[in-house]
Amino acid sequence: MSTTLVKGQNGPLTAAEVVVSIRVAATAELSALLVTEQGKVRSDTDFVFYNQPSGPGVRLRNGVAGQPAELAVSLAQVPAEITQIRAVITLDETDATFGRIAPPIALVSDPGGNALYEYKIEDLQSESIVIAVELYRRFGNWKVRAVGQGYAGGFAALVTDHGVTVEDAPRPMPVPATPPPPPPPTSPYPPPPPPTSAYPPPMPPYPTPVQPQPNPSQQPHPTHLAPPPPASQPTDGELSRGRPVNLAKGQRVTLRKEGGVALTRIRMGLGWDPAKQGGLFGRRAANIDLDAWVAMFADRHLVDVAYYGQLISKDGSIRHQGDNLTGEGAAGDDEVILADLSRVPRRVNTLLFIVTSYQGHTFEQVSNAYCRLVDETTQAELARYALAGGMPFTAIAMAKVFRAGAEWKLQAIGEGFQAKHPGEAVPQLGRFITVD
């Protein structure tokens, strides 16, 4: 008997070989992108599709009558560098969209045809391409996640954004975020840089959700974030060895140690415990999935995002250590993010540390949420901010590290808002982007 997945849910894969198939009420193709932890293929051989039906550990084979080909995956043969296998459905007809047909269904089965997982991909509208499911490694084991995120660009744009070389493939011109003149070209994964900005494009969340048109309540990532409301200036604290600063909401500390030595390599540990009611969260096993990540800004321009789909920022300065599904780790941290401030490009002046609930569970089910700053060189804890009480939000801005002249500062934030993943959160981060 198969397990029915909902969007964002995951489950273990115990079979050494699995088959990914789809049921779709239109002519469609199934393909696979084998990517590293940076979200890129190693070479074009890591792209499996109708013109290249075999890759390392993955091959296309004929599906059941009337349905697209299937992906047969031998997990033991997948190279160690490959951390995710993304199964992609592409509608063949030029004007076809998923909103015009019944929701497609993705199946993960064992070699005998017994369905292990079933995922009905709903809420698609104008998209003609969707990343249906992904098979991914976690601590040496394979799991499956229901993704169901549409892609607004063309097929060539999808694969080139994953590092595949496509000859004579023009870049798409999707709908702009807002209609300012002239309309900036955008590509949801990742968007090209706005024409008024000298900054490189970000690697947006995995993948940036496609917003139905028109829908004024949901907006794509803006090129410029709205200015924040005025706020009072809190008093800066001081860091001292052996006496961590317990930060209050809004309090700041300058990132230098006793003697005026500037910190360059820091570790941000974020943690949380299950609330007394609803112990499922503490096991991080079933349906609740929290993700810590960092958004990098140059003034009000999003430059990059380090998150579960791209663990290392493109400049190498931010390194996400990945999900901690057991809640165990250094001093109990659930997620750890390393920042080498000496490598952060000069134009980047704000790092926002965010936690989002992927499936929409609120932080009322979480207690003892905190973030702490550790000197990566000495392993000494320098500051800690504890978030008291649950909040009826699906996202929290925990803290930010920002430039103030020639120095870096840390500020505790602890403000909640509604967003389930980076794609929904980024347009709301403008109010936190204030620097001295």
Side-chain angles (χ1 to χ4, degrees):
M1 183 175 179
S2 64
T3 298
T4 299
L5 298 177
V6 298
K7 187 173 183 177
Q9 190 175 6
N10 58 53
L13 291 174
T14 56
E17 297 185 358
V18 296
V19 177
V20 178
S21 59
I22 57 173
R23 298 172 186 165
V24 58
T27 306
E29 297 289 346
L30 183 62
S31 58
L33 289 157
L34 286 68
V35 300
T36 64
E37 66 178 8
Q38 287 78 31
K40 301 288 186 179
V41 300
R42 302 168 304 168
S43 69
D44 292 356
T45 59
D46 290 338
F47 176 36
V48 177
F49 68 118
Y50 55 88
N51 275 344
Q52 184 172 266
S54 295
V58 181
R59 61 184 177 87
L60 276 175
R61 70 182 192 188
N62 291 333
V64 298
Q67 291 298 319
E70 302 171 336
L71 291 168
V73 184
S74 298
L75 298 174
Q77 297 179 21
V78 177
E81 305 98 301
I82 299 299
T83 60
Q84 300 171 25
I85 301 171
R86 298 174 179 171
V88 180
I89 305 173
T90 306
L91 297 179
D92 281 352
E93 298 297 329
T94 303
D95 59 347
T97 64
F98 286 107
R100 299 178 179 178
I101 62 175
I105 296 175
L107 298 166
V108 179
S109 308
D110 65 19
N114 301 306
L116 305 175
Y117 295 98
E118 180 174 323
Y119 171 41
K120 186 177 182 179
I121 310 172
E122 299 179 300
D123 300 322
L124 298 175
Q125 297 294 330
S126 59
E127 308 91 333
S128 61
I129 301 172
V130 63
I131 300 178
V133 296
E134 67 175 8
L135 313 181
Y136 65 104
R137 298 183 196 264
R138 276 295 182 270
F139 305 112
N141 299 315
W142 283 95
K143 303 184 72 174
V144 59
R145 188 197 304 272
V147 180
Q149 294 294 342
Y151 194 87
F155 186 70
L158 170 71
V159 297
T160 52
D161 288 342
H162 283 79
V164 178
T165 302
V166 178
E167 295 181 359
D168 300 324
R171 300 295 293 179
M173 295 289 291
V175 179
T178 55
T186 60
S187 175
Y189 189 58
T196 58
S197 171
Y199 303 121
M203 171 64 74
Y206 167 67
T208 301
V210 176
Q211 306 294 349
Q213 298 294 330
N215 189 346
S217 65
Q218 296 179 346
Q219 296 295 330
H221 292 183
T223 301
H224 301 279
L225 299 176
S232 59
Q233 298 298 318
T235 303
D236 288 4
E238 296 294 334
L239 297 176
S240 60
R241 185 170 51 251
R243 298 193 306 275
V245 175
N246 290 317
L247 296 175
K249 184 175 181 178
Q251 186 178 354
R252 301 174 179 177
V253 290
T254 301
L255 296 187
R256 61 173 182 264
K257 298 180 289 184
E258 290 175 326
V261 178
L263 289 169
T264 57
R265 295 175 57 85
I266 63 173
R267 181 170 79 240
M268 185 68 74
L270 299 103
W272 47 81
D273 293 328
K276 292 182 179 179
Q277 295 180 352
L280 280 178
F281 176 78
R283 294 192 289 272
R284 293 178 61 84
N287 299 325
I288 299 178
D289 183 8
L290 296 191
D291 300 299
W293 49 279
V294 177
M296 306 173 68
F297 283 88
D299 295 328
R300 313 200 68 75
H301 300 271
L302 178 67
V303 173
D304 204 357
V305 178
Y307 70 116
Y308 57 84
Q310 179 185 261
L311 296 177
I312 303 174
S313 63
K314 290 188 286 292
D315 57 47
S317 63
I318 309 297
R319 294 176 176 265
H320 193 304
Q321 300 300 288
D323 289 336
N324 185 334
L325 303 182
T326 66
E328 298 176 353
D333 295 339
D334 291 289
E335 306 252 348
V336 173
I337 299 172
L338 306 177
D340 185 345
L341 300 179
S342 66
R343 296 184 61 182
V344 175
R346 182 61 194 173
R347 66 180 180 274
V348 174
N349 48 24
T350 304
L351 309 176
L352 284 178
F353 291 79
I354 312 293
V355 180
T356 46
S357 177
Y358 192 87
Q359 296 182 47
H361 297 88
T362 73
F363 285 84
E364 293 169 314
Q365 297 171 264
V366 181
S367 64
N368 300 326
Y370 70 90
C371 65
R372 69 189 192 108
L373 177 70
V374 177
D375 183 348
E376 185 65 10
T377 303
T378 64
Q379 303 301 310
E381 181 177 315
L382 302 174
R384 177 181 288 258
Y385 170 55
L387 187 66
M391 304 173 70
F393 301 106
T394 57
I396 290 180
M398 290 294 292
K400 69 178 177 182
V401 172
F402 63 96
R403 296 186 194 267
E407 296 183 319
W408 285 96
K409 293 185 178 182
L410 166 73
Q411 180 177 353
I413 301 177
E415 291 190 20
F417 56 102
Q418 301 297 349
K420 294 183 289 186
H421 51 75
E424 294 179 351
V426 166
Q428 305 181 58
L429 300 182
R431 58 187 166 179
F432 307 123
I433 310 298
T434 54
V435 293
D436 291 341

